[in-house]
Amino acid sequence: MPFLILNLFGVLDAKRSGEDAVKSYAMNSGCSYSIIRPGRLVGGPYTNLDLATLFQVEGGASNGVTVQSGDALLGDCKRDVCAEAVLQCLENRECEDVVFSMHRFRASSATASMTAGVSAAAAAAIFLSYPARMERDHHHDVQYSISRETIQQHTTSNNNIMTAWSSSLLDSNYWLRSNIPTKCEAVNNKKMDTVNNNKTFASNTPATVYGEEEESNSANGRINYYYKRMNPNDVDRTSLMESHAIFGPLWGEGLIERYHVYKRINTNNEHPQIVLQSPRELTVVDLKVGKKLNGHDGIIHGGIISLLFDEAMGWAYECLQQQDQIDSSGMIIVTANLTVNFRAPFLAGSEAVIRVYHNETKGRKIYFSARLESKDGRVVFAEASSLFVLARKDKLRMKER
Ligand SMILES: CCCCCCCCCCCC(=O)SCCNC(=O)CCNC(=O)[C@H](O)C(C)(C)COP(=O)(O)OP(=O)(O)OC[C@H]1O[C@@H](n2cnc3c(N)ncnc32)[C@H](O)[C@@H]1OP(=O)(O)O
C-alpha cells in the first residue's frame, strides 16, 4: 500500500517517533532494545477497531512467519505469534538492538499440504513447542514453517522454538550485517544464570556468557563484573566493514557468522587489587564459524583460528588502553608475535568463545594470552600467546616503503 495512504493520519510518523524515543532512551541509559514491526494483527484476542476484528480474521492454520531486517515486509501477522516474538526478543541476545518486520509466512502448496489437518490452536501450540523447519529464499529473509514430518518427529520432544528462532536469526547473513554496526552499546547487567569460577555456562544460550558474575575471593570478598558489547563503530577505522578481514570479505554465511566482542567491566572499585589480578581477563568474543573455512574436511583451518585470536587480542588492547589510559598518541598497535597451540579440532559450524587475558606490559611491549573454548568451558580448542608492540605510525609508514 502506498506510504501516503498508510500514513494518512500520521500513524507511521507516530510509530517512528515512538521507535526513535525507545532507541534514544536505550542509548542514553545503556540498555538494549528490540523493535518488532508486525504486519496487520490478525487472530484473537480481537482488540483493534479494524476490519480484521469486524470479520474475526483468524489468520489461518499456519503459524509460520517470515522475518526480515528493517522495513521490507508487508502482510498480516498473527497475534499469538507476535506475542511469542516479543518473548523471544526478551530472551535472545541476537535480538538486541535490532529492528525487524514480521509477517505471516504464506505457505507454498507443498507446505500447505503438510500443515493441512492441523487446527489453528494446534498449529499455535506446535509453533511454540517444536523446532521449525527453516528455509531461506533469495531475499535472505528467514522463513519458518512447520511440516507434518517435523510434528511427527518431535511429538515427544520438549524442544522449544527458541533454539530454532535464535539459530535462524544467526543463519541470516542479512540480519547479522544489520546487527553488527549498532550505534547502541548495550549493557547487559541482568542477572542471567549464576556462573561459577570454572566458567561452566549453560550450553545453548549465548546470553549466559554475559551474565553478571560473582567471584569469591577468600581475602577480599566478592567482586562483580559483567560484559559490555564493544562496537566497531566506536573506533575511528574507516571502511571497517568493507576491508577488514573479519567484518569484510570473511563475513557471512558459511564464513565467520558471528564475532561479538564484549569487554569485561569490573564493578567493585573497593578491591582494585582483584581487578588487577594477573592474568586479567579483558575481553570475551562470542563467535560462530561457518562451514566454508576448512583446512581438512569439516575442521576449521588453523590460519583462520589464528586470525580470530589476533583480532580478539587487538580488541583487548583497546580495552586496556581505555582502562589503563595508555598514551598512544602517534602510535599504532601491531602484532609482533603470535603463537598458537591447537588442542582439539574446531569443527566447522561451531560456536565458541575466545577469552583474552593481559599478562604483562613492558614499555611499549604488551603480552596477551587467549583461549578458544566451548561455551561451557569444557573443551579448549586452541590457546594463544602474543606480543603486541606499540609502533610509531611514521616509522611504520617508512617500513612500508
Ligand atoms: C574496537 C575496535 C578494535 C579493533 C581492533 C582491531 C585489531 C586488529 C589487530 C590486528 C593486528 C595485526 O595483525 S597487525 C599486522 C601484523 N603485524 C605487523 O605488520 C607488524 C610488522 N612488524 C613491525 O612493524 C615491527 O617489527 C614492529 C613494529 C613490531 C617492531 O619494530 P620497532 O618499532 O622498530 O621496534 P623493535 O625495536 O624492533 O622492537 C621493540 C621491542 O619488541 C621486541 N620485538 C619485536 N618483534 C619481536 C618478535 N617478533 N618477537 C619477540 N620480540 C620482538 C624487540 O626485541 C624490542 O624489545 P626491547 O629491546 O625493547 O626489549
Side-chain angles (χ1 to χ4, degrees):
M1 192 179 288
F3 173 81
L4 274 177
I5 299 176
L6 264 181
N7 201 31
L8 202 55
F9 302 104
V11 174
L12 295 182
D13 291 341
K15 286 185 177 180
R16 185 54 189 254
S17 74
E19 290 181 359
D20 289 345
V22 167
K23 283 185 191 170
S24 130
Y25 176 82
M27 199 160 335
N28 294 330
S29 64
C31 64
S32 55
Y33 66 86
S34 306
I35 292 174
I36 306 175
R37 297 170 175 164
R40 182 182 65 144
L41 292 173
V42 295
Y46 299 98
T47 50
N48 297 18
L49 295 174
D50 69 358
L51 290 177
T53 297
L54 186 64
F55 297 112
Q56 302 274 292
V57 177
E58 213 6 279
S62 167
N63 261 39
V65 290
T66 301
V67 292
Q68 188 164 319
S69 179
D71 201 14
L73 300 172
L74 277 176
D76 294 343
C77 181
K78 292 188 73 179
R79 273 193 177 76
D80 50 2
V81 174
C82 190
E84 173 67 9
V86 171
L87 291 176
Q88 299 305 338
C89 286
L90 288 172
E91 303 216 359
N92 281 279
R93 283 195 77 85
E94 285 68 36
C95 299
E96 282 188 359
D97 306 331
V98 292
V99 180
F100 66 93
S101 321
M102 190 172 89
H103 78 162
R104 196 152 46 95
F105 175 50
R106 298 201 182 283
S108 64
S109 52
T111 316
S113 67
M114 283 188 274
T115 53
V118 181
S119 73
I126 289 158
F127 178 74
L128 300 181
S129 311
Y130 297 99
R133 184 168 61 89
M134 287 156 281
E135 294 169 358
R136 173 184 293 278
D137 75 2
H138 62 283
H139 296 303
H140 293 292
D141 58 354
V142 182
Q143 298 178 338
Y144 302 86
S145 62
I146 311 291
S147 72
R148 186 179 280 279
E149 293 97 294
T150 311
I151 296 164
Q152 282 164 353
Q153 277 164 16
H154 296 281
T155 42
T156 55
S157 164
N158 285 327
N159 286 330
N160 62 45
I161 189 70
M162 201 212 287
T163 315
W165 179 273
S166 57
S167 58
S168 306
L169 296 184
L170 291 176
D171 209 30
S172 164
N173 177 29
Y174 189 70
W175 178 282
L176 276 174
R177 277 187 179 284
S178 68
N179 194 13
I180 282 282
T182 170
K183 289 269 187 299
C184 173
E185 246 193 327
V187 179
N188 185 358
N189 52 11
K190 281 177 275 182
K191 215 171 194 101
M192 312 292 271
D193 280 356
T194 306
V195 185
N196 71 24
N197 286 337
N198 293 328
K199 308 278 187 286
T200 40
F201 302 114
S203 53
N204 66 350
T205 81
T208 53
V209 175
Y210 318 111
E212 191 176 343
E213 193 167 341
E214 287 183 353
E215 198 174 70
S216 309
N217 180 294
S218 52
N220 297 291
R222 293 171 186 284
I223 59 163
N224 293 320
Y225 57 98
Y226 61 91
Y227 298 94
K228 178 178 178 181
R229 176 92 179 267
M230 294 178 79
N231 186 339
N233 284 355
D234 290 348
V235 177
D236 180 23
R237 296 169 74 204
T238 48
S239 333
L240 179 72
M241 306 312 251
E242 289 78 22
S243 63
H244 186 274
I246 289 179
F247 300 110
L250 288 178
W251 187 260
E253 190 192 356
L255 306 171
I256 295 167
E257 299 186 353
R258 181 166 74 238
Y259 197 87
H260 292 177
V261 186
Y262 293 81
K263 66 176 163 185
R264 177 170 158 154
I265 309 280
N266 297 297
T267 56
N268 189 336
N269 297 325
E270 290 167 32
H271 302 295
Q273 66 273 34
I274 309 178
V275 173
L276 295 176
Q277 67 200 332
S278 185
R280 160 165 62 140
E281 186 184 79
L282 292 173
T283 49
V284 176
V285 182
D286 172 20
L287 62 90
K288 184 177 183 204
V289 285
K291 298 186 174 172
K292 297 179 187 166
L293 296 172
N294 301 343
H296 288 298
D297 198 19
I299 300 176
I300 296 295
H301 198 295
I304 297 292
I305 295 175
S306 306
L307 168 71
L308 297 172
F309 271 130
D310 195 23
E311 180 72 11
M313 291 167 168
W315 285 68
Y317 171 75
E318 288 293 327
C319 291
L320 198 64
Q321 195 189 24
Q322 288 165 18
Q323 287 175 17
D324 296 0
Q325 297 171 341
I326 296 171
D327 180 12
S328 61
S329 44
M331 311 281 267
I332 186 170
I333 194 78
V334 290
T335 319
N337 175 277
L338 177 67
T339 305
V340 182
N341 290 315
F342 303 98
R343 301 289 187 200
F346 186 40
L347 299 184
S350 298
E351 296 184 54
V353 293
I354 294 178
R355 298 185 174 279
V356 184
Y357 301 87
H358 173 229
N359 291 55
E360 198 181 5
T361 298
K362 277 189 189 166
R364 59 195 181 95
K365 295 191 295 184
I366 298 148
Y367 295 87
F368 295 107
S369 55
R371 216 166 52 237
L372 173 68
E373 63 186 26
S374 59
K375 280 189 181 169
D376 62 8
R378 288 188 192 138
V379 184
V380 175
F381 302 109
E383 292 163 318
S385 56
S386 71
L387 165 63
F388 276 64
V389 173
L390 266 172
R392 277 189 22 217
K393 276 185 189 162
D394 51 355
K395 204 171 159 192
L396 212 62
R397 289 272 105 87
M398 298 273 289
K399 286 192 182 183
E400 277 173 8
R401 282 181 209 124

